[in-house]
Amino acid sequence: MNDGNNEIAHRVLVIDDNPDIHKDFQTILLEEQDSAELNTLRAEVFGDNAGEPAPRSRYELDFATQGKEGNEKVKQALSEDRPYELVFVDMRMPPDWDGLTTIEHIWKTDPNIQVVICTAYSDHSWEEITERLGKSENLLILKKPFDSAEVAQLASALTQKWILARQASLKTGHLEQMVEERTQELKRTNERLEQEITERKRTEQQQAKLLKEVENINQELKDFAYIVSHDLKAPLRGIKALANWLSTDYADKFDEEGREQMNLLLSRVQRMHNLIDGVLQYSRVGRVKEEWVAVNLNTLVPEVIDMVAPPQNIAITVENELPTIKCEETRIMQVFQNLLSNAVKHLDKPQGQIKVSCVEEDGFWKFSVTDNGPGIEQKHFEEIFKMFKTLSVRDEFENTGVGLTVAKKIVELYNGKIWVESKVGKGSTFFFTLPKQMGAKNANLEANIAG
């Protein structure tokens, strides 16, 4: 308690069966607080702070005449959260508890209270007292008759000691609470980490399982490719051989319509053969690994033009310098071959023109293949990149509808895009992009996953 004049109220209990002793404590601790002698004692206890008056100790005294009564007052003070700091206990208080018994009970009630034994006799030696009460830094002996200065000094020192011990206890309790909170926080964090580790392990197990399934699927696709190549091409070869034999040996037996039908049969056998090759080619994209090398497109594209072998009325030109890119050479060759073959196949002008060019745009190489063919309606822009989709009459062109699909798949595996812009009657331009930085293999290619 603070009244604004540097006074601190200390709760002190006096347990003595003699009412005159109570008055003595009142006189010493209450009525003579302003005496010159006590002020000198206070200066000695608290020190003189640059001439400023030392803080005065103000006491709130309570009294009890018997040990049991005193112990009840200690209990009551604790229940009100106003504990006593110091208790003076008389050694002899007949017919009730003596001083040692009283102190035993008080310390069971409040083990932090400071105790002074007041006695005029040598009923018990210090060894006997400590043997019974145990050695404690909270216990002192005061001989009767009292010396006022000694009582005042004991009261000041022991109440200050109690306050410091209480503050230390509160700080310790606060630190223990902080440690407990931190411990609980670390425990929760550890539990979350363990849960995340468990989830990660579960995810890794699922990924391993999925990768195994993908591996099995890829193997099945590979096996399927061999089955398709062997089991479907074999009867086709037989049909083609039989049709050729009939056309040759029975040529004089067929009329014009018969010969036309036999030629149509041979054409469709060849188309079926090309379709099978297209499916096999599509299935290999992304599954078959190839070494990445630096490819100079200024050399590769002319080689592709020679492979396409355009007719004399169609000119294929490279409009500007092409870059050198790091990639799988066969894959890039397939892209240009399919786009150029598609343009040659559908050109309907007496003088066909196909132009290849490249520009740099936003970290990508943007390639284009432009023709002056019949053009494509906008509603078909997406459809033409789907498997087996072709806008031409199948009996007019040997078109499988796989080439653009394969080109799209390869470009997208390299994290690029492919699209078409066209006007009917004026021609079409197929664009595709490739990242300029293609030094590391695409994740899909590395995983060897077929789309």
Side-chain angles (χ1 to χ4, degrees):
M1 183 181 297
N2 194 327
D3 63 2
N5 294 315
N6 295 325
E7 293 185 354
I8 303 172
H10 301 286
R11 299 204 70 197
V12 178
L13 175 64
V14 178
I15 305 175
D16 197 301
D17 61 344
N18 186 349
D20 291 335
I21 298 297
H22 298 180
K23 292 180 181 179
D24 290 341
F25 276 100
Q26 283 182 316
T27 300
I28 295 170
L29 299 180
L30 299 181
E31 296 176 9
E32 295 184 1
Q33 290 187 84
D34 295 323
S35 67
E37 182 181 7
L38 290 179
N39 283 332
T40 300
L41 285 173
R42 279 194 290 271
E44 292 177 355
V45 173
F46 296 105
D48 187 0
N49 187 12
E52 296 180 4
R56 295 184 299 165
S57 297
R58 188 167 65 83
Y59 300 99
E60 181 182 335
L61 292 180
D62 283 337
F63 301 95
T65 57
Q66 294 293 316
K68 289 183 179 178
E69 180 188 358
N71 189 48
E72 290 301 319
K73 284 182 176 290
V74 172
K75 290 181 180 179
Q76 180 67 26
L78 281 176
S79 67
E80 295 173 355
D81 197 23
R82 298 180 64 242
Y84 291 109
E85 302 166 28
L86 171 62
V87 59
F88 291 93
V89 182
D90 186 25
M91 185 62 80
R92 292 182 177 183
M93 294 178 291
D96 200 0
W97 297 338
D98 65 6
L100 296 183
T101 303
T102 300
I103 295 170
E104 286 176 332
H105 283 84
I106 286 176
W107 272 348
K108 288 180 180 178
T109 302
D110 184 358
N112 299 315
I113 196 169
Q114 303 291 315
V115 176
V116 176
I117 298 176
C118 303
T119 180
Y121 307 96
S122 299
D123 297 335
H124 303 281
S125 67
W126 179 250
E127 289 76 13
E128 292 174 336
I129 293 173
T130 56
E131 182 178 356
R132 183 167 173 182
L133 298 178
K135 291 184 178 181
S136 174
E137 59 182 14
N138 295 345
L139 178 65
L140 291 175
I141 295 178
L142 178 64
K143 290 292 186 178
K144 294 180 180 180
F146 301 140
D147 180 273
S148 297
E150 188 176 3
V151 171
Q153 189 176 27
L154 282 173
S156 293
L158 293 178
T159 53
Q160 286 298 320
K161 178 185 174 184
W162 182 91
I163 288 175
L164 292 174
R166 182 178 178 86
Q167 289 174 346
S169 176
L170 291 174
K171 288 182 179 179
T172 301
H174 179 63
L175 288 174
E176 290 176 349
Q177 181 180 358
M178 290 177 63
V179 170
E180 176 63 22
E181 290 175 354
R182 182 58 176 165
T183 300
Q184 292 300 320
E185 181 181 349
L186 290 173
K187 183 179 179 181
R188 290 191 293 270
T189 301
N190 187 56
E191 290 174 351
R192 287 196 299 270
L193 288 174
E194 289 179 352
Q195 184 176 0
E196 290 177 3
I197 291 172
T198 300
E199 290 295 329
R200 185 175 298 176
K201 288 182 178 178
R202 185 181 298 114
T203 301
E204 289 174 353
Q205 291 173 351
Q206 291 176 345
Q207 288 179 339
K209 182 180 178 181
L210 289 174
L211 287 175
K212 184 63 176 177
E213 291 178 357
V214 169
E215 183 180 346
N216 292 336
I217 291 173
N218 281 336
Q219 185 60 44
E220 291 175 1
L221 286 173
K222 186 176 180 181
D223 296 340
F224 174 74
Y226 285 119
I227 292 172
V228 168
S229 178
H230 182 271
D231 292 356
L232 292 186
K233 283 188 175 180
L236 281 179
R237 285 192 293 269
I239 295 173
K240 183 177 181 180
L242 180 59
N244 283 327
W245 176 71
L246 289 174
S247 298
T248 302
D249 289 0
Y250 291 89
D252 57 340
K253 306 292 184 182
F254 292 122
D255 56 13
E256 187 63 29
E257 183 178 356
R259 284 190 291 273
E260 183 179 343
Q261 293 298 325
M262 287 302 298
N263 290 333
L264 185 60
L265 173 61
L266 288 170
S267 174
R268 290 180 176 175
V269 167
Q270 185 61 43
R271 184 190 302 163
M272 186 64 183
H273 188 278
N274 293 339
L275 280 173
I276 293 172
D277 283 343
V279 171
L280 292 177
Q281 185 184 69
Y282 182 82
S283 71
R284 292 191 185 100
V285 175
R287 289 194 305 108
V288 179
K289 292 183 179 180
E290 186 180 339
E291 183 180 359
W292 283 51
V293 295
V295 178
N296 186 344
L297 297 182
N298 295 291
T299 302
L300 182 136
V301 171
E303 292 176 357
V304 173
I305 294 174
D306 289 339
M307 292 172 57
V308 172
Q312 292 183 352
N313 68 315
I314 297 178
I316 302 178
T317 58
V318 178
E319 297 297 294
N320 56 359
E321 187 77 11
L322 300 179
T324 296
I325 61 175
K326 193 171 184 179
C327 61
E328 295 171 297
E329 184 174 12
T330 303
R331 298 287 172 252
I332 295 301
M333 183 179 292
Q334 283 182 289
V335 173
F336 280 103
Q337 182 178 354
N338 288 342
L339 291 177
L340 291 173
S341 296
N342 184 73
V344 169
K345 193 177 298 182
H346 294 91
L347 265 171
D348 58 348
K349 303 294 190 300
Q351 294 299 319
Q353 295 181 354
I354 300 174
K355 299 177 182 180
V356 179
S357 65
C358 177
V359 295
E360 183 181 349
E361 186 176 282
D362 299 329
F364 286 80
W365 295 116
K366 181 180 176 182
F367 298 92
S368 62
V369 176
T370 304
D371 65 64
N372 64 338
I376 304 169
E377 293 184 54
Q378 186 174 357
K379 64 180 180 179
H380 299 305
F381 283 1
E382 295 293 332
E383 186 178 2
I384 60 174
F385 291 102
K386 296 178 181 179
M387 181 74 84
F388 302 135
K389 292 294 184 178
T390 178
L391 304 183
S392 61
V393 180
R394 291 187 180 272
D395 289 333
E396 293 180 2
F397 298 98
E398 288 299 331
N399 192 5
T400 62
V402 176
L404 292 180
T405 309
V406 171
K408 181 175 185 293
K409 186 173 183 180
I410 294 172
V411 169
E412 291 179 350
L413 283 173
Y414 285 123
N415 289 327
K417 294 191 302 181
I418 188 169
W419 70 98
V420 64
E421 295 178 3
S422 180
K423 289 185 178 180
V424 175
K426 294 186 177 181
S428 305
T429 299
F430 284 83
F431 296 94
F432 70 93
T433 61
L434 295 176
K436 292 185 63 179
Q437 301 298 327
M438 294 200 347
K441 291 188 178 182
N442 178 278
N444 290 329
L445 291 168
E446 183 67 27
N448 201 23
I449 299 173

